[in-house]
């Protein structure tokens, strides 16, 4: 939450600095709906579709409300960043209704862009925390390339760092997208692109660490891997592990899309096509977070290790040969 406040303050300062130098005002008789693709005052270069906005808004809001209930019902308050991020994402989508009416509304675009672009940082942070919780619950911290007590801290710090870079440029991005100055446009997009690349690399490394962890559990501790074999599949800890895999995949797709989009510039073919926004950004993120609703982590992870697992953990922790 502190990072969010700092990010918004920095973004606000960046917005005020750039707005001061943008130049001419929009003529009173100008029609923003006549040719949005060539309208330099329209950051999106298209008119948002209310039907698509409404569907995505309703779906994400439903996920946020259902997971709020899950947190109250089954606990796992350490997933709070996920739920908070969902509500901010909903707010960003809701502002797209305003852009349908006022497509040249620069301030409106900047605010919605900040919420839509930065909210996934909270989803990423939740996945970081979840891996540490799974490893600790299984008692197999030593199978992580980075100890569980450090992995959450290390990657959350990375997430906050990229968040601050992106938040400063999320506002600047709106200015750059409609800027008359080519240098201003390029500066904003390049700095923002750096933040997105760092986020993609960081999350890709995290996903690799998670993959190694699952491989080690399956090959070195088959009794832990299969310990829920007699339970229904929806109560098997491996189901939660698969959900985290799918969540990582959805976030990676979205992150890769954002990097390619920004590499083309704010007026590139990806950035100016609404179908790509929903198909490669909103939809992958929806699946990345929705799956936690039927498989809420609090239903799988308790505060105590299963009986008899302490001895196994101690034996593994003292085994110096655990390497990939």
């Amino acid at each position: 939450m502190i990072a969010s406040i700092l990010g918004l303050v920095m973004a606000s300062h960046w917005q005020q600095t750039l707005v001061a130098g943008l130049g001419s005002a929009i003529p009173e008789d100008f029609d923003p709906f006549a040719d949005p693709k060539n309208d330099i005052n329209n950051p999106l270069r298209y008119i948002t579709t209310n039907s698509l906005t409404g569907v995505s808004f309703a779906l994400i809001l439903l996920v946020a409300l259902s997971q709020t209930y899950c947190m109250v019902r089954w606990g796992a308050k350490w997933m709070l960043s996920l739920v908070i991020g969902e509500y901010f994402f909903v707010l960003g989508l809701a502002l797209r209704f305003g852009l349908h009416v006022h497509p040249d509304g620069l301030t409106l675009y900047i605010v919605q862009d900040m919420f839509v672009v930065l909210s996934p940082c909270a989803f990423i942070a939740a996945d970081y925390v979840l891996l540490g919780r799974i490893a600790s619950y299984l008692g197999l911290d030593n199978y992580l390339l980075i100890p569980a007590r450090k992995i959450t801290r290390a990657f959350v710090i990375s997430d906050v760092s990229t968040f601050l870079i992106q938040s400063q440029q999320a506002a600047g991005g709106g200015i750059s997208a409609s800027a008359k100055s080519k240098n201003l446009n390029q500066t904003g997009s390049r700095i923002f692109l750096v933040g997105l690349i760092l986020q993609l690399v960081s999350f890709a490394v995290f996903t690799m660490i998670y993959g190694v962890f699952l491989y080690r559990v399956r090959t070195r501790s088959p009794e832990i891997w299969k310990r829920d074999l007699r339970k229904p599949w929806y109560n098997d800890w491996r189901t939660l592990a698969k959900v985290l895999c799918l969540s990582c995949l959805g976030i990676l797709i979205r992150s890769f899309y954002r990097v390619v989009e920004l590499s083309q510039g704010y007026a590139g073919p990806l950035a100016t096509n609404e179908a790509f926004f929903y198909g490669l950004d909103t939809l992958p993120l929806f699946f990345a977070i929705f799956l936690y609703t039927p498989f809420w982590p609090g239903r799988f992870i308790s505060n105590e290790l299963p009986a008899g697992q302490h001895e196994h953990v101690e034996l593994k922790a003292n085994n110096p040969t655990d390497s990939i």
Side-chain angles (χ1 to χ4, degrees), residues 93 156 190 199 267:
L93 291 172
V156 166
R190 285 174 181 173
Q199 184 182 74

mmCIF file of all heavy atoms in Angstrom, residues 93 156 190 199 267:
data_model
loop_
_atom_site.group_PDB
_atom_site.id
_atom_site.type_symbol
_atom_site.label_atom_id
_atom_site.label_comp_id
_atom_site.label_asym_id
_atom_site.label_seq_id
_atom_site.Cartn_x
_atom_site.Cartn_y
_atom_site.Cartn_z
ATOM 1 N N LEU A 93 -11.062 -0.355 -15.219
ATOM 2 C CA LEU A 93 -11.974 -0.737 -16.298
ATOM 3 C C LEU A 93 -13.214 0.155 -16.316
ATOM 4 O O LEU A 93 -13.724 0.512 -17.383
ATOM 5 C CB LEU A 93 -12.381 -2.202 -16.144
ATOM 6 C CG LEU A 93 -11.267 -3.236 -16.391
ATOM 7 C CD1 LEU A 93 -11.753 -4.632 -16.021
ATOM 8 C CD2 LEU A 93 -10.809 -3.202 -17.842
ATOM 9 N N VAL A 156 9.164 -9.547 -3.935
ATOM 10 C CA VAL A 156 8.258 -8.426 -3.665
ATOM 11 C C VAL A 156 9.014 -7.106 -3.790
ATOM 12 O O VAL A 156 8.483 -6.121 -4.326
ATOM 13 C CB VAL A 156 7.614 -8.561 -2.272
ATOM 14 C CG1 VAL A 156 6.950 -7.247 -1.860
ATOM 15 C CG2 VAL A 156 6.580 -9.677 -2.268
ATOM 16 N N ARG A 190 10.034 4.697 -23.490
ATOM 17 C CA ARG A 190 11.254 3.932 -23.210
ATOM 18 C C ARG A 190 11.416 3.639 -21.727
ATOM 19 O O ARG A 190 11.782 2.524 -21.334
ATOM 20 C CB ARG A 190 12.472 4.692 -23.743
ATOM 21 C CG ARG A 190 12.608 4.632 -25.266
ATOM 22 C CD ARG A 190 13.734 5.514 -25.753
ATOM 23 N NE ARG A 190 13.849 5.468 -27.210
ATOM 24 C CZ ARG A 190 14.661 6.246 -27.918
ATOM 25 N NH1 ARG A 190 15.434 7.132 -27.292
ATOM 26 N NH2 ARG A 190 14.697 6.136 -29.232
ATOM 27 N N GLN A 199 9.999 -6.276 -15.028
ATOM 28 C CA GLN A 199 8.934 -7.059 -14.409
ATOM 29 C C GLN A 199 8.811 -8.423 -15.073
ATOM 30 O O GLN A 199 8.662 -9.448 -14.393
ATOM 31 C CB GLN A 199 7.611 -6.311 -14.511
ATOM 32 C CG GLN A 199 6.451 -6.995 -13.811
ATOM 33 C CD GLN A 199 5.152 -6.238 -13.989
ATOM 34 O OE1 GLN A 199 4.550 -6.250 -15.061
ATOM 35 N NE2 GLN A 199 4.699 -5.560 -12.939
ATOM 36 N N ALA A 267 1.480 4.561 -30.363
ATOM 37 C CA ALA A 267 0.624 4.611 -31.542
ATOM 38 C C ALA A 267 0.817 3.377 -32.413
ATOM 39 O O ALA A 267 0.409 3.360 -33.572
ATOM 40 C CB ALA A 267 0.915 5.873 -32.348
#
